[in-house]
Amino acid sequence: MKIQPEITYRNVEKSEAIDNLVHEKIAKLENICNYINSCHIAIEKIHDRPRSGSPYRVRIDLTVPPGHELAAEKNPGEGVQYQPLDAVVRETFDAMRQQLVKLTQLQRASEQAGRYEEAQESTGLVTKLFREDGYGFLKTLDGREIYFHQNSVLHHDFDRLGIGTGVHFSLEDGEEGPQASTVKIVDKPGVRAGKSSEKLVETPLDW
């Protein structure tokens, strides 16, 4: 957490048991989202002798990048069986946990979608090679066929290319249409390119 959690007690005597419980729950929130900006917890006693319900109210405020503000508050009112402070604390953190899980899931899904879109534009497989003439064609993951020249292949790796070699590339406009530049091998069947230990490009099933 970028900012140390702030815990305030109002009309409630701070106890070691409650303080330990709060810090334990904060740690569990950080396990869900390790980039929380700030966390403020307010614990207060709003009634000395309530006829029913709990005399306590607990509120949690979180800020999460890029600009999300989450809030959870529990104040068991009339008609609810008396709840001690530790139970109200647990309920409030449970409510915050549900919000945080939902937010992080949405953020991760958005990030993965962005990565996939980027991969669609910059990843492909070599489908045609004309070695003597020094050029070839690659197919992007969304099905486009793109021309490339041997001078566009980085590290003088044109001779290492084969049908099915996975590459990353930049797309630019050439004299006769789109063409690939800065072509870099990322996976070659039978030959490991670079230091990667995992297969980075999978051949689509319909190819």
Side-chain angles (χ1 to χ4, degrees):
M1 196 172 299
K2 294 183 178 180
I3 301 176
Q4 189 72 13
E6 182 181 352
I7 307 168
T8 59
Y9 293 85
R10 300 168 187 163
N11 301 319
V12 178
E13 185 176 350
K14 180 179 177 180
S15 70
E16 183 178 354
I18 292 298
D19 196 56
N20 288 340
L21 174 62
V22 168
H23 281 91
E24 173 190 326
K25 294 296 186 179
I26 291 173
K28 289 184 177 180
L29 292 182
E30 289 187 289
N31 286 337
I32 296 170
C33 177
N34 62 4
Y35 48 90
I36 297 172
N37 269 339
S38 65
C39 174
H40 178 261
I41 299 103
I43 300 172
E44 60 182 326
K45 189 175 185 180
I46 55 177
H47 299 294
D48 286 329
R49 296 179 180 179
R51 294 181 179 178
S52 62
S54 174
Y56 304 107
R57 176 166 57 200
V58 177
R59 180 182 173 91
I60 305 170
D61 291 277
L62 292 185
T63 59
V64 179
H68 300 283
E69 297 181 359
L70 304 181
E73 181 177 313
K74 289 295 179 179
N75 176 26
E78 294 185 3
V80 179
Q81 185 178 1
Y82 174 83
Q83 287 183 288
L85 179 55
D86 65 323
V88 182
V89 169
R90 294 177 190 278
E91 283 193 2
T92 313
F93 272 96
D94 285 345
M96 177 55 73
R97 174 186 171 278
Q98 293 175 15
Q99 292 186 53
L100 196 58
V101 166
K102 184 177 180 180
L103 175 62
T104 54
Q105 288 176 341
L106 289 173
Q107 288 182 325
R108 287 166 186 163
S110 177
E111 183 179 340
Q112 289 173 355
R115 288 177 179 174
Y116 178 75
E117 183 177 349
E118 181 180 350
Q120 289 283 82
E121 296 176 352
S122 62
T123 303
L125 297 174
V126 175
T127 54
K128 299 176 183 177
L129 269 177
F130 303 90
R131 294 192 186 279
E132 293 183 359
D133 297 319
Y135 71 95
F137 290 87
L138 56 87
K139 194 172 185 180
T140 64
L141 299 186
D142 60 359
R144 293 174 296 165
E145 190 171 67
I146 307 294
Y147 165 88
F148 69 93
H149 190 271
Q150 65 177 359
N151 293 339
S152 297
V153 182
L154 299 180
H155 312 303
H156 305 288
D157 276 345
F158 182 76
D159 290 337
R160 292 186 60 210
L161 295 176
I163 303 301
T165 301
V167 296
H168 282 327
F169 65 95
S170 296
L171 191 62
E172 62 180 29
D173 291 327
E175 294 181 359
E176 299 182 4
Q179 66 181 39
S181 66
T182 59
V183 178
K184 180 181 179 181
I185 296 176
V186 293
D187 180 72
K188 185 180 190 304
V191 178
R192 182 60 54 198
K195 298 181 179 179
S196 175
S197 60
E198 60 183 47
K199 187 175 180 64
L200 299 178
V201 180
E202 294 290 346
T203 305
L205 295 177
D206 57 345
W207 282 22

mmCIF file with all atom_site columns, all heavy atoms in Angstrom, residues 71-96:
data_model
loop_
_atom_site.group_PDB
_atom_site.id
_atom_site.type_symbol
_atom_site.label_atom_id
_atom_site.label_alt_id
_atom_site.label_comp_id
_atom_site.label_asym_id
_atom_site.label_entity_id
_atom_site.label_seq_id
_atom_site.pdbx_PDB_ins_code
_atom_site.Cartn_x
_atom_site.Cartn_y
_atom_site.Cartn_z
_atom_site.occupancy
_atom_site.B_iso_or_equiv
_atom_site.pdbx_formal_charge
_atom_site.auth_seq_id
_atom_site.auth_comp_id
_atom_site.auth_asym_id
_atom_site.auth_atom_id
_atom_site.pdbx_PDB_model_num
ATOM 1   N N   . ALA A 1 71 ? -16.116 2.369   -1.033 1.00 0.00 ? 71 ALA A N   1
ATOM 2   C CA  . ALA A 1 71 ? -16.543 2.611   0.346  1.00 0.00 ? 71 ALA A CA  1
ATOM 3   C C   . ALA A 1 71 ? -17.478 1.500   0.790  1.00 0.00 ? 71 ALA A C   1
ATOM 4   O O   . ALA A 1 71 ? -18.326 1.034   0.027  1.00 0.00 ? 71 ALA A O   1
ATOM 5   C CB  . ALA A 1 71 ? -17.236 3.963   0.463  1.00 0.00 ? 71 ALA A CB  1
ATOM 6   N N   . ALA A 1 72 ? -17.286 1.053   2.027  1.00 0.00 ? 72 ALA A N   1
ATOM 7   C CA  . ALA A 1 72 ? -18.167 0.053   2.633  1.00 0.00 ? 72 ALA A CA  1
ATOM 8   C C   . ALA A 1 72 ? -18.461 0.491   4.052  1.00 0.00 ? 72 ALA A C   1
ATOM 9   O O   . ALA A 1 72 ? -17.564 0.905   4.789  1.00 0.00 ? 72 ALA A O   1
ATOM 10  C CB  . ALA A 1 72 ? -17.513 -1.327  2.619  1.00 0.00 ? 72 ALA A CB  1
ATOM 11  N N   . GLU A 1 73 ? -19.727 0.399   4.440  1.00 0.00 ? 73 GLU A N   1
ATOM 12  C CA  . GLU A 1 73 ? -20.118 0.849   5.778  1.00 0.00 ? 73 GLU A CA  1
ATOM 13  C C   . GLU A 1 73 ? -21.164 -0.093  6.353  1.00 0.00 ? 73 GLU A C   1
ATOM 14  O O   . GLU A 1 73 ? -22.080 -0.518  5.649  1.00 0.00 ? 73 GLU A O   1
ATOM 15  C CB  . GLU A 1 73 ? -20.678 2.271   5.721  1.00 0.00 ? 73 GLU A CB  1
ATOM 16  C CG  . GLU A 1 73 ? -21.085 2.821   7.085  1.00 0.00 ? 73 GLU A CG  1
ATOM 17  C CD  . GLU A 1 73 ? -21.556 4.260   7.009  1.00 0.00 ? 73 GLU A CD  1
ATOM 18  O OE1 . GLU A 1 73 ? -20.862 5.066   6.361  1.00 0.00 ? 73 GLU A OE1 1
ATOM 19  O OE2 . GLU A 1 73 ? -22.611 4.571   7.595  1.00 0.00 ? 73 GLU A OE2 1
ATOM 20  N N   . LYS A 1 74 ? -21.027 -0.437  7.621  1.00 0.00 ? 74 LYS A N   1
ATOM 21  C CA  . LYS A 1 74 ? -21.988 -1.275  8.315  1.00 0.00 ? 74 LYS A CA  1
ATOM 22  C C   . LYS A 1 74 ? -22.398 -0.579  9.609  1.00 0.00 ? 74 LYS A C   1
ATOM 23  O O   . LYS A 1 74 ? -21.563 -0.149  10.392 1.00 0.00 ? 74 LYS A O   1
ATOM 24  C CB  . LYS A 1 74 ? -21.398 -2.653  8.622  1.00 0.00 ? 74 LYS A CB  1
ATOM 25  C CG  . LYS A 1 74 ? -21.210 -3.542  7.392  1.00 0.00 ? 74 LYS A CG  1
ATOM 26  C CD  . LYS A 1 74 ? -22.550 -3.900  6.757  1.00 0.00 ? 74 LYS A CD  1
ATOM 27  C CE  . LYS A 1 74 ? -22.359 -4.767  5.525  1.00 0.00 ? 74 LYS A CE  1
ATOM 28  N NZ  . LYS A 1 74 ? -23.646 -5.138  4.896  1.00 0.00 ? 74 LYS A NZ  1
ATOM 29  N N   . ASN A 1 75 ? -23.714 -0.489  9.796  1.00 0.00 ? 75 ASN A N   1
ATOM 30  C CA  . ASN A 1 75 ? -24.281 0.100   11.004 1.00 0.00 ? 75 ASN A CA  1
ATOM 31  C C   . ASN A 1 75 ? -25.574 -0.635  11.309 1.00 0.00 ? 75 ASN A C   1
ATOM 32  O O   . ASN A 1 75 ? -26.664 -0.146  11.009 1.00 0.00 ? 75 ASN A O   1
ATOM 33  C CB  . ASN A 1 75 ? -24.542 1.600   10.788 1.00 0.00 ? 75 ASN A CB  1
ATOM 34  C CG  . ASN A 1 75 ? -25.232 2.228   11.980 1.00 0.00 ? 75 ASN A CG  1
ATOM 35  O OD1 . ASN A 1 75 ? -25.104 1.751   13.106 1.00 0.00 ? 75 ASN A OD1 1
ATOM 36  N ND2 . ASN A 1 75 ? -25.998 3.285   11.729 1.00 0.00 ? 75 ASN A ND2 1
ATOM 37  N N   . PRO A 1 76 ? -25.453 -1.853  11.855 1.00 0.00 ? 76 PRO A N   1
ATOM 38  C CA  . PRO A 1 76 ? -26.649 -2.663  12.109 1.00 0.00 ? 76 PRO A CA  1
ATOM 39  C C   . PRO A 1 76 ? -27.678 -1.886  12.939 1.00 0.00 ? 76 PRO A C   1
ATOM 40  O O   . PRO A 1 76 ? -27.398 -1.491  14.067 1.00 0.00 ? 76 PRO A O   1
ATOM 41  C CB  . PRO A 1 76 ? -26.102 -3.868  12.880 1.00 0.00 ? 76 PRO A CB  1
ATOM 42  C CG  . PRO A 1 76 ? -24.668 -3.945  12.462 1.00 0.00 ? 76 PRO A CG  1
ATOM 43  C CD  . PRO A 1 76 ? -24.232 -2.517  12.287 1.00 0.00 ? 76 PRO A CD  1
ATOM 44  N N   . GLY A 1 77 ? -28.828 -1.649  12.356 1.00 0.00 ? 77 GLY A N   1
ATOM 45  C CA  . GLY A 1 77 ? -29.829 -0.801  13.016 1.00 0.00 ? 77 GLY A CA  1
ATOM 46  C C   . GLY A 1 77 ? -30.847 -1.573  13.822 1.00 0.00 ? 77 GLY A C   1
ATOM 47  O O   . GLY A 1 77 ? -30.647 -2.733  14.191 1.00 0.00 ? 77 GLY A O   1
ATOM 48  N N   . GLU A 1 78 ? -31.955 -0.903  14.088 1.00 0.00 ? 78 GLU A N   1
ATOM 49  C CA  . GLU A 1 78 ? -33.006 -1.502  14.905 1.00 0.00 ? 78 GLU A CA  1
ATOM 50  C C   . GLU A 1 78 ? -33.587 -2.725  14.209 1.00 0.00 ? 78 GLU A C   1
ATOM 51  O O   . GLU A 1 78 ? -33.679 -2.795  12.999 1.00 0.00 ? 78 GLU A O   1
ATOM 52  C CB  . GLU A 1 78 ? -34.104 -0.472  15.169 1.00 0.00 ? 78 GLU A CB  1
ATOM 53  C CG  . GLU A 1 78 ? -33.646 0.696   16.019 1.00 0.00 ? 78 GLU A CG  1
ATOM 54  C CD  . GLU A 1 78 ? -34.787 1.623   16.369 1.00 0.00 ? 78 GLU A CD  1
ATOM 55  O OE1 . GLU A 1 78 ? -35.928 1.305   15.998 1.00 0.00 ? 78 GLU A OE1 1
ATOM 56  O OE2 . GLU A 1 78 ? -34.528 2.655   17.011 1.00 0.00 ? 78 GLU A OE2 1
ATOM 57  N N   . GLY A 1 79 ? -33.987 -3.674  15.008 1.00 0.00 ? 79 GLY A N   1
ATOM 58  C CA  . GLY A 1 79 ? -34.543 -4.900  14.469 1.00 0.00 ? 79 GLY A CA  1
ATOM 59  C C   . GLY A 1 79 ? -33.509 -5.969  14.200 1.00 0.00 ? 79 GLY A C   1
ATOM 60  O O   . GLY A 1 79 ? -33.841 -7.117  13.924 1.00 0.00 ? 79 GLY A O   1
ATOM 61  N N   . VAL A 1 80 ? -32.220 -5.592  14.279 1.00 0.00 ? 80 VAL A N   1
ATOM 62  C CA  . VAL A 1 80 ? -31.139 -6.563  14.093 1.00 0.00 ? 80 VAL A CA  1
ATOM 63  C C   . VAL A 1 80 ? -30.632 -6.983  15.465 1.00 0.00 ? 80 VAL A C   1
ATOM 64  O O   . VAL A 1 80 ? -30.441 -6.157  16.351 1.00 0.00 ? 80 VAL A O   1
ATOM 65  C CB  . VAL A 1 80 ? -29.980 -5.945  13.279 1.00 0.00 ? 80 VAL A CB  1
ATOM 66  C CG1 . VAL A 1 80 ? -28.855 -6.949  13.107 1.00 0.00 ? 80 VAL A CG1 1
ATOM 67  C CG2 . VAL A 1 80 ? -30.492 -5.483  11.931 1.00 0.00 ? 80 VAL A CG2 1
ATOM 68  N N   . GLN A 1 81 ? -30.425 -8.260  15.604 1.00 0.00 ? 81 GLN A N   1
ATOM 69  C CA  . GLN A 1 81 ? -29.926 -8.761  16.885 1.00 0.00 ? 81 GLN A CA  1
ATOM 70  C C   . GLN A 1 81 ? -28.588 -8.108  17.223 1.00 0.00 ? 81 GLN A C   1
ATOM 71  O O   . GLN A 1 81 ? -27.792 -7.850  16.340 1.00 0.00 ? 81 GLN A O   1
ATOM 72  C CB  . GLN A 1 81 ? -29.783 -10.283 16.819 1.00 0.00 ? 81 GLN A CB  1
ATOM 73  C CG  . GLN A 1 81 ? -29.388 -10.909 18.156 1.00 0.00 ? 81 GLN A CG  1
ATOM 74  C CD  . GLN A 1 81 ? -29.306 -12.425 18.052 1.00 0.00 ? 81 GLN A CD  1
ATOM 75  O OE1 . GLN A 1 81 ? -29.526 -12.984 16.990 1.00 0.00 ? 81 GLN A OE1 1
ATOM 76  N NE2 . GLN A 1 81 ? -29.009 -13.073 19.167 1.00 0.00 ? 81 GLN A NE2 1
ATOM 77  N N   . TYR A 1 82 ? -28.367 -7.839  18.474 1.00 0.00 ? 82 TYR A N   1
ATOM 78  C CA  . TYR A 1 82 ? -27.143 -7.155  18.911 1.00 0.00 ? 82 TYR A CA  1
ATOM 79  C C   . TYR A 1 82 ? -25.903 -7.831  18.317 1.00 0.00 ? 82 TYR A C   1
ATOM 80  O O   . TYR A 1 82 ? -25.765 -9.049  18.366 1.00 0.00 ? 82 TYR A O   1
ATOM 81  C CB  . TYR A 1 82 ? -27.040 -7.157  20.428 1.00 0.00 ? 82 TYR A CB  1
ATOM 82  C CG  . TYR A 1 82 ? -25.729 -6.599  20.933 1.00 0.00 ? 82 TYR A CG  1
ATOM 83  C CD1 . TYR A 1 82 ? -25.551 -5.225  21.058 1.00 0.00 ? 82 TYR A CD1 1
ATOM 84  C CD2 . TYR A 1 82 ? -24.659 -7.439  21.235 1.00 0.00 ? 82 TYR A CD2 1
ATOM 85  C CE1 . TYR A 1 82 ? -24.348 -4.693  21.498 1.00 0.00 ? 82 TYR A CE1 1
ATOM 86  C CE2 . TYR A 1 82 ? -23.444 -6.920  21.667 1.00 0.00 ? 82 TYR A CE2 1
ATOM 87  C CZ  . TYR A 1 82 ? -23.299 -5.542  21.793 1.00 0.00 ? 82 TYR A CZ  1
ATOM 88  O OH  . TYR A 1 82 ? -22.091 -5.016  22.214 1.00 0.00 ? 82 TYR A OH  1
ATOM 89  N N   . GLN A 1 83 ? -25.017 -7.018  17.756 1.00 0.00 ? 83 GLN A N   1
ATOM 90  C CA  . GLN A 1 83 ? -23.773 -7.524  17.195 1.00 0.00 ? 83 GLN A CA  1
ATOM 91  C C   . GLN A 1 83 ? -22.597 -6.846  17.882 1.00 0.00 ? 83 GLN A C   1
ATOM 92  O O   . GLN A 1 83 ? -22.547 -5.605  17.959 1.00 0.00 ? 83 GLN A O   1
ATOM 93  C CB  . GLN A 1 83 ? -23.693 -7.248  15.691 1.00 0.00 ? 83 GLN A CB  1
ATOM 94  C CG  . GLN A 1 83 ? -24.615 -8.138  14.855 1.00 0.00 ? 83 GLN A CG  1
ATOM 95  C CD  . GLN A 1 83 ? -24.446 -7.867  13.376 1.00 0.00 ? 83 GLN A CD  1
ATOM 96  O OE1 . GLN A 1 83 ? -24.869 -6.829  12.889 1.00 0.00 ? 83 GLN A OE1 1
ATOM 97  N NE2 . GLN A 1 83 ? -23.830 -8.801  12.683 1.00 0.00 ? 83 GLN A NE2 1
ATOM 98  N N   . PRO A 1 84 ? -21.633 -7.608  18.354 1.00 0.00 ? 84 PRO A N   1
ATOM 99  C CA  . PRO A 1 84 ? -20.447 -7.013  18.964 1.00 0.00 ? 84 PRO A CA  1
ATOM 100 C C   . PRO A 1 84 ? -19.581 -6.335  17.910 1.00 0.00 ? 84 PRO A C   1
ATOM 101 O O   . PRO A 1 84 ? -19.751 -6.556  16.702 1.00 0.00 ? 84 PRO A O   1
ATOM 102 C CB  . PRO A 1 84 ? -19.734 -8.212  19.591 1.00 0.00 ? 84 PRO A CB  1
ATOM 103 C CG  . PRO A 1 84 ? -20.186 -9.382  18.778 1.00 0.00 ? 84 PRO A CG  1
ATOM 104 C CD  . PRO A 1 84 ? -21.595 -9.084  18.379 1.00 0.00 ? 84 PRO A CD  1
ATOM 105 N N   . LEU A 1 85 ? -18.625 -5.544  18.368 1.00 0.00 ? 85 LEU A N   1
ATOM 106 C CA  . LEU A 1 85 ? -17.794 -4.761  17.450 1.00 0.00 ? 85 LEU A CA  1
ATOM 107 C C   . LEU A 1 85 ? -17.041 -5.636  16.467 1.00 0.00 ? 85 LEU A C   1
ATOM 108 O O   . LEU A 1 85 ? -16.953 -5.309  15.273 1.00 0.00 ? 85 LEU A O   1
ATOM 109 C CB  . LEU A 1 85 ? -16.820 -3.892  18.254 1.00 0.00 ? 85 LEU A CB  1
ATOM 110 C CG  . LEU A 1 85 ? -15.860 -3.031  17.432 1.00 0.00 ? 85 LEU A CG  1
ATOM 111 C CD1 . LEU A 1 85 ? -16.610 -2.143  16.457 1.00 0.00 ? 85 LEU A CD1 1
ATOM 112 C CD2 . LEU A 1 85 ? -14.978 -2.203  18.356 1.00 0.00 ? 85 LEU A CD2 1
ATOM 113 N N   . ASP A 1 86 ? -16.476 -6.744  16.912 1.00 0.00 ? 86 ASP A N   1
ATOM 114 C CA  . ASP A 1 86 ? -15.696 -7.574  15.994 1.00 0.00 ? 86 ASP A CA  1
ATOM 115 C C   . ASP A 1 86 ? -16.543 -8.116  14.851 1.00 0.00 ? 86 ASP A C   1
ATOM 116 O O   . ASP A 1 86 ? -16.086 -8.237  13.711 1.00 0.00 ? 86 ASP A O   1
ATOM 117 C CB  . ASP A 1 86 ? -14.995 -8.711  16.747 1.00 0.00 ? 86 ASP A CB  1
ATOM 118 C CG  . ASP A 1 86 ? -15.976 -9.696  17.349 1.00 0.00 ? 86 ASP A CG  1
ATOM 119 O OD1 . ASP A 1 86 ? -17.051 -9.262  17.813 1.00 0.00 ? 86 ASP A OD1 1
ATOM 120 O OD2 . ASP A 1 86 ? -15.671 -10.905 17.360 1.00 0.00 ? 86 ASP A OD2 1
ATOM 121 N N   . ALA A 1 87 ? -17.828 -8.399  15.129 1.00 0.00 ? 87 ALA A N   1
ATOM 122 C CA  . ALA A 1 87 ? -18.706 -8.894  14.071 1.00 0.00 ? 87 ALA A CA  1
ATOM 123 C C   . ALA A 1 87 ? -18.994 -7.801  13.044 1.00 0.00 ? 87 ALA A C   1
ATOM 124 O O   . ALA A 1 87 ? -19.038 -8.058  11.831 1.00 0.00 ? 87 ALA A O   1
ATOM 125 C CB  . ALA A 1 87 ? -20.015 -9.393  14.677 1.00 0.00 ? 87 ALA A CB  1
ATOM 126 N N   . VAL A 1 88 ? -19.174 -6.561  13.513 1.00 0.00 ? 88 VAL A N   1
ATOM 127 C CA  . VAL A 1 88 ? -19.425 -5.451  12.599 1.00 0.00 ? 88 VAL A CA  1
ATOM 128 C C   . VAL A 1 88 ? -18.183 -5.196  11.733 1.00 0.00 ? 88 VAL A C   1
ATOM 129 O O   . VAL A 1 88 ? -18.287 -4.923  10.534 1.00 0.00 ? 88 VAL A O   1
ATOM 130 C CB  . VAL A 1 88 ? -19.821 -4.180  13.373 1.00 0.00 ? 88 VAL A CB  1
ATOM 131 C CG1 . VAL A 1 88 ? -20.115 -3.040  12.396 1.00 0.00 ? 88 VAL A CG1 1
ATOM 132 C CG2 . VAL A 1 88 ? -21.040 -4.439  14.255 1.00 0.00 ? 88 VAL A CG2 1
ATOM 133 N N   . VAL A 1 89 ? -17.001 -5.292  12.353 1.00 0.00 ? 89 VAL A N   1
ATOM 134 C CA  . VAL A 1 89 ? -15.755 -5.125  11.599 1.00 0.00 ? 89 VAL A CA  1
ATOM 135 C C   . VAL A 1 89 ? -15.652 -6.178  10.491 1.00 0.00 ? 89 VAL A C   1
ATOM 136 O O   . VAL A 1 89 ? -15.340 -5.862  9.333  1.00 0.00 ? 89 VAL A O   1
ATOM 137 C CB  . VAL A 1 89 ? -14.531 -5.216  12.530 1.00 0.00 ? 89 VAL A CB  1
ATOM 138 C CG1 . VAL A 1 89 ? -13.235 -5.304  11.717 1.00 0.00 ? 89 VAL A CG1 1
ATOM 139 C CG2 . VAL A 1 89 ? -14.473 -4.011  13.469 1.00 0.00 ? 89 VAL A CG2 1
ATOM 140 N N   . ARG A 1 90 ? -15.933 -7.421  10.834 1.00 0.00 ? 90 ARG A N   1
ATOM 141 C CA  . ARG A 1 90 ? -15.839 -8.505  9.846  1.00 0.00 ? 90 ARG A CA  1
ATOM 142 C C   . ARG A 1 90 ? -16.823 -8.291  8.699  1.00 0.00 ? 90 ARG A C   1
ATOM 143 O O   . ARG A 1 90 ? -16.488 -8.497  7.521  1.00 0.00 ? 90 ARG A O   1
ATOM 144 C CB  . ARG A 1 90 ? -16.095 -9.855  10.519 1.00 0.00 ? 90 ARG A CB  1
ATOM 145 C CG  . ARG A 1 90 ? -15.030 -10.259 11.524 1.00 0.00 ? 90 ARG A CG  1
ATOM 146 C CD  . ARG A 1 90 ? -15.390 -11.582 12.206 1.00 0.00 ? 90 ARG A CD  1
ATOM 147 N NE  . ARG A 1 90 ? -14.522 -11.868 13.332 1.00 0.00 ? 90 ARG A NE  1
ATOM 148 C CZ  . ARG A 1 90 ? -13.314 -12.413 13.230 1.00 0.00 ? 90 ARG A CZ  1
ATOM 149 N NH1 . ARG A 1 90 ? -12.858 -12.756 12.029 1.00 0.00 ? 90 ARG A NH1 1
ATOM 150 N NH2 . ARG A 1 90 ? -12.583 -12.648 14.302 1.00 0.00 ? 90 ARG A NH2 1
ATOM 151 N N   . GLU A 1 91 ? -18.046 -7.904  9.019  1.00 0.00 ? 91 GLU A N   1
ATOM 152 C CA  . GLU A 1 91 ? -19.055 -7.686  7.978  1.00 0.00 ? 91 GLU A CA  1
ATOM 153 C C   . GLU A 1 91 ? -18.646 -6.553  7.034  1.00 0.00 ? 91 GLU A C   1
ATOM 154 O O   . GLU A 1 91 ? -18.853 -6.635  5.819  1.00 0.00 ? 91 GLU A O   1
ATOM 155 C CB  . GLU A 1 91 ? -20.413 -7.366  8.610  1.00 0.00 ? 91 GLU A CB  1
ATOM 156 C CG  . GLU A 1 91 ? -21.141 -8.573  9.158  1.00 0.00 ? 91 GLU A CG  1
ATOM 157 C CD  . GLU A 1 91 ? -22.593 -8.258  9.489  1.00 0.00 ? 91 GLU A CD  1
ATOM 158 O OE1 . GLU A 1 91 ? -23.024 -7.101  9.240  1.00 0.00 ? 91 GLU A OE1 1
ATOM 159 O OE2 . GLU A 1 91 ? -23.281 -9.150  9.988  1.00 0.00 ? 91 GLU A OE2 1
ATOM 160 N N   . THR A 1 92 ? -18.093 -5.499  7.604  1.00 0.00 ? 92 THR A N   1
ATOM 161 C CA  . THR A 1 92 ? -17.679 -4.359  6.773  1.00 0.00 ? 92 THR A CA  1
ATOM 162 C C   . THR A 1 92 ? -16.549 -4.759  5.838  1.00 0.00 ? 92 THR A C   1
ATOM 163 O O   . THR A 1 92 ? -16.548 -4.410  4.647  1.00 0.00 ? 92 THR A O   1
ATOM 164 C CB  . THR A 1 92 ? -17.237 -3.177  7.648  1.00 0.00 ? 92 THR A CB  1
ATOM 165 O OG1 . THR A 1 92 ? -18.190 -2.950  8.687  1.00 0.00 ? 92 THR A OG1 1
ATOM 166 C CG2 . THR A 1 92 ? -17.112 -1.906  6.818  1.00 0.00 ? 92 THR A CG2 1
ATOM 167 N N   . PHE A 1 93 ? -15.566 -5.486  6.349  1.00 0.00 ? 93 PHE A N   1
ATOM 168 C CA  . PHE A 1 93 ? -14.459 -5.929  5.498  1.00 0.00 ? 93 PHE A CA  1
ATOM 169 C C   . PHE A 1 93 ? -14.937 -6.925  4.447  1.00 0.00 ? 93 PHE A C   1
ATOM 170 O O   . PHE A 1 93 ? -14.423 -6.933  3.318  1.00 0.00 ? 93 PHE A O   1
ATOM 171 C CB  . PHE A 1 93 ? -13.334 -6.526  6.342  1.00 0.00 ? 93 PHE A CB  1
ATOM 172 C CG  . PHE A 1 93 ? -12.335 -5.516  6.816  1.00 0.00 ? 93 PHE A CG  1
ATOM 173 C CD1 . PHE A 1 93 ? -12.443 -4.955  8.077  1.00 0.00 ? 93 PHE A CD1 1
ATOM 174 C CD2 . PHE A 1 93 ? -11.290 -5.097  5.994  1.00 0.00 ? 93 PHE A CD2 1
ATOM 175 C CE1 . PHE A 1 93 ? -11.521 -4.009  8.523  1.00 0.00 ? 93 PHE A CE1 1
ATOM 176 C CE2 . PHE A 1 93 ? -10.369 -4.158  6.417  1.00 0.00 ? 93 PHE A CE2 1
ATOM 177 C CZ  . PHE A 1 93 ? -10.491 -3.606  7.689  1.00 0.00 ? 93 PHE A CZ  1
ATOM 178 N N   . ASP A 1 94 ? -15.922 -7.760  4.782  1.00 0.00 ? 94 ASP A N   1
ATOM 179 C CA  . ASP A 1 94 ? -16.468 -8.688  3.791  1.00 0.00 ? 94 ASP A CA  1
ATOM 180 C C   . ASP A 1 94 ? -17.118 -7.927  2.643  1.00 0.00 ? 94 ASP A C   1
ATOM 181 O O   . ASP A 1 94 ? -16.972 -8.298  1.463  1.00 0.00 ? 94 ASP A O   1
ATOM 182 C CB  . ASP A 1 94 ? -17.493 -9.624  4.445  1.00 0.00 ? 94 ASP A CB  1
ATOM 183 C CG  . ASP A 1 94 ? -16.843 -10.703 5.297  1.00 0.00 ? 94 ASP A CG  1
ATOM 184 O OD1 . ASP A 1 94 ? -15.621 -10.908 5.157  1.00 0.00 ? 94 ASP A OD1 1
ATOM 185 O OD2 . ASP A 1 94 ? -17.555 -11.330 6.114  1.00 0.00 ? 94 ASP A OD2 1
ATOM 186 N N   . ALA A 1 95 ? -17.843 -6.860  2.986  1.00 0.00 ? 95 ALA A N   1
ATOM 187 C CA  . ALA A 1 95 ? -18.491 -6.047  1.954  1.00 0.00 ? 95 ALA A CA  1
ATOM 188 C C   . ALA A 1 95 ? -17.444 -5.365  1.070  1.00 0.00 ? 95 ALA A C   1
ATOM 189 O O   . ALA A 1 95 ? -17.597 -5.295  -0.158 1.00 0.00 ? 95 ALA A O   1
ATOM 190 C CB  . ALA A 1 95 ? -19.397 -5.005  2.602  1.00 0.00 ? 95 ALA A CB  1
ATOM 191 N N   . MET A 1 96 ? -16.363 -4.866  1.682  1.00 0.00 ? 96 MET A N   1
ATOM 192 C CA  . MET A 1 96 ? -15.297 -4.240  0.899  1.00 0.00 ? 96 MET A CA  1
ATOM 193 C C   . MET A 1 96 ? -14.586 -5.271  0.034  1.00 0.00 ? 96 MET A C   1
ATOM 194 O O   . MET A 1 96 ? -14.226 -4.991  -1.118 1.00 0.00 ? 96 MET A O   1
ATOM 195 C CB  . MET A 1 96 ? -14.304 -3.543  1.829  1.00 0.00 ? 96 MET A CB  1
ATOM 196 C CG  . MET A 1 96 ? -13.100 -2.923  1.108  1.00 0.00 ? 96 MET A CG  1
ATOM 197 S SD  . MET A 1 96 ? -13.572 -1.756  -0.207 1.00 0.00 ? 96 MET A SD  1
ATOM 198 C CE  . MET A 1 96 ? -14.122 -0.366  0.798  1.00 0.00 ? 96 MET A CE  1
#
